[in-house]
């Protein structure tokens, strides 16, 4: 039966062909919505179940085709990944709505309520809702697979410095920790002359090389090794190695510049000391306060080595000092009378220095030295150097002593624990980090004895040099145990360093004794001294220290 529109133009109605329900005559199918759904299923061909891959190591989901994305539960990112599983069938319909249905978190099921529309007949659009169930399959992404396999890496950075100490690497370690430059590193190995950093991606290794070049003068060489090759599609798998060589000159080293270079660099004196090492070498003439900066490319064009290092420093006592009035920056030129400290070696000769063993020298430390102070310097009258540039200098232009820095022997011998500490990193990822191993073998490893000596000298450099101290993070020692623990060093993640030496744990007293151990140059001594403490000893203020929060766990390794 059909209802015709009346004279007023009202819409006409018809009866459903199946159930007889009154419907609009504009419905071209002649069926009501219920009967139309029974006869036509617009979800046909759309999967109702699928699988989504989840990495248990890094907690990321696989976004087709090969991208792993970190997603929060019921987030928009996770919803997009789930809809990609039925992306092709959804192209034939119109997606109206999609939302999550709550499921038990441990069920490994993700359910979506999806609403779609489709035009089934002329002027007839059908809307339908269905539930998509996705099973979460756990596994490992390629990055975590490489991490799980030992000694598997794609790129490595080999950092080397051909010197007899580890102070540069001790400082570099602290710079890496401060800037979190080690976050992508998978493993770190200690070598005789440096450290090896391993990465799963080549870009991460390049970032580390760029970071090292920004903080120290280096020379970089790259190489690659073919691992596998697919001749069908023309792809290959390579391992990349970057060799980073640090300039073998460190802070406070005595440097003899070749004559031709000295003329090019402002006609500076050939005998200089290295006042600071950044991304350039800062060389200072202590007799005239003339300075020059040497960049890495300029240095490697005609390299030269240190004439003497800090292990060759000798203690002197200042008898008298008189500033000359010449000043440049923080350096003040002064004339000083000095003599060897007791126990620092043979007495001075009478070769132009007086029969009483007194040296008359010019120094750049006029702003900080006072009569009675102890200062470290290089004694050039009792030293032979196998260096062509030094042998070419006129002997009358070579000073008897070059002073380098002030020292505090009386305060050092008190063996007072420090009120600050440094962060350190586990030596290797697969080792037990509860031991708190350092990257440079301070508790067992390559050249342990010398590294412990270098570490103590490094801590002293931090105390005495405010500019150097500002470049690293110092942490407040919360209790007496922290202050006694391995000369102020603790392991990352709030763990204390074990202080291992010879396979046994050092207690607080033993740690202090190790901090005051005697080294070859006589700068560290453990005998008692009745002398008064120096009033200008460089104490580190509390406002320079950071709180040691337990959640500040950092993953990586050490350098200087």
């Amino acid at each position: 039966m059909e209802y015709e529109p009346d004279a007023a133009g009202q819409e006409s109605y018809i009866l459903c062909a199946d159930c007889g329900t009154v419907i609009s005559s504009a419905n071209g199918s002649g069926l009501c919505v219920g009967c139309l759904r029974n006869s036509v299923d617009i979800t046909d061909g759309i999967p109702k179940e699928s699988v989504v891959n989840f990495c248990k190591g890094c907690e990321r989901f696989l976004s087709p085709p090969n991208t792993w994305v970190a997603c929060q539960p019921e987030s928009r990112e996770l919803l997009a990944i789930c809809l990609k599983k039925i992306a092709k069938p959804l192209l034939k319909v119109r997606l109206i709505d999609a939302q999550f249905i709550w499921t038990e978190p441990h069920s490994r099921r993700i359910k979506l309520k999806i609403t779609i529309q489709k035009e089934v007949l002329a002027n007839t659009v059908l809307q339908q809702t269905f539930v998509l169930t996705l099973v979460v399959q756990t596994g490992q992404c390629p990055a975590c697979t490489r991490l799980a396999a030992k000694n598997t890496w794609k790129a490595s950075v080999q950092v080397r410095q051909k010197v007899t100490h580890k102070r540069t690497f001790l400082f570099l370690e602290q710079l890496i920790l401060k800037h979190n430059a080690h976050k992508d590193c998978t493993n770190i190995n200690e070598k005789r002359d440096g450290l090896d950093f391993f990465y799963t991606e080549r870009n991460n290794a390049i970032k580390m090389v760029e970071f090292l070049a920004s903080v120290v003068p280096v020379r970089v060489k790259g190489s690659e090794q073919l691992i596998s090759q697919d001749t069908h599609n023309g792809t290959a798998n390579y391992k990349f190695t970057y060799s980073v060589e640090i300039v073998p000159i460190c802070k406070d080293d005595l440097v003899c510049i070749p004559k031709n270079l000295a003329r090019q660099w402002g006609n500076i004196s050939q005998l200089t000391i290295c006042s600071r090492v950044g991304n350039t070498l800062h060389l200072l003439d202590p007799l005239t306060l003339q300075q020059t900066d040497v960049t890495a490319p300029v240095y490697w064009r005609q390299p030269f080595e240190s004439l003497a290092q800090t292990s060759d420093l000798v203690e002197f006592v200042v008898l008298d000092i008189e500033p000359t009035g010449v000043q440049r920056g923080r350096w003040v030129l002064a004339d000083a009378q000095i003599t060897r400290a007791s126990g620092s070696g043979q007495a001075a000769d009478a070769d132009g220095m007086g029969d009483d063993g007194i040296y008359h020298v010019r120094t750049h430390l006029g702003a900080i030295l006072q009569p009675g102070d102890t200062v470290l310097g290089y004694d050039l009258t009792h030293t032979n150097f196998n260096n062509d540039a030094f042998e070419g200098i006129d002997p009358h232009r070579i000073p008897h002593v070059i002073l380098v820095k002030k020292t505090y022997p009386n305060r050092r011998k008190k063996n007072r624990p420090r009120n600050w500490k440094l962060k350190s990193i586990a030596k290797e990822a697969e080792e037990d980090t509860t031991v708190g191993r350092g990257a440079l073998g301070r508790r067992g490893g390559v050249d342990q004895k010398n590294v412990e000596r270098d570490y103590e000298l490094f801590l002293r450099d931090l105390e005495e040099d405010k500019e150097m101290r500002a470049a690293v993070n110092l942490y407040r020692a919360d209790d007496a145990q922290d202050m006694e623990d391995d000369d102020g060093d603790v392991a990352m993640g709030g763990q204390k360093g074990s202080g291992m030496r010879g396979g046994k744990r050092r207690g607080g007293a033993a740690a202090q004794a190790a901090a005051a151990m005697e080294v070859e140059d006589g700068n560290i001594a453990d005998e008692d001294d009745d002398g008064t403490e120096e009033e200008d000893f460089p104490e580190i203020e509390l406002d320079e220290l950071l709180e040691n929060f337990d959640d500040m766990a950092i993953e990586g390794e050490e350098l200087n």
Side-chain angles (χ1 to χ4, degrees), residues 66 89 105 163 171 242 247 252 435 511:
N66 296 317
V163 292
F171 181 61
Y242 296 93
V247 170
D252 298 332
V435 179

Side-chain angles (χ1 to χ4, degrees), residues 544-557:
E544 300 182 52
L545 305 179
L546 302 176
E547 293 289 347
N548 183 29
F549 296 109
D550 293 336
D551 57 347
M552 295 180 63
I554 309 176
E555 308 164 1
E557 305 226 3

Side-chain angles (χ1 to χ4, degrees), residues 50-71 77-78 81-85 108-110 133-142:
S50 186
V51 175
V52 62
N53 299 95
F54 175 73
C55 178
K56 297 179 64 177
C58 58
E59 298 184 352
R60 296 185 297 175
F61 288 89
L62 175 60
S63 177
N66 296 317
T67 305
W68 291 83
V69 181
C71 304
E77 293 80 6
L78 182 57
I81 293 176
C82 296
L83 292 178
K84 283 184 179 181
K85 294 294 182 178
R108 293 296 179 183
R109 298 292 188 274
I110 298 177
T133 303
L134 299 105
V135 180
V136 180
Q137 287 189 352
T138 58
Q140 284 185 326
C141 64

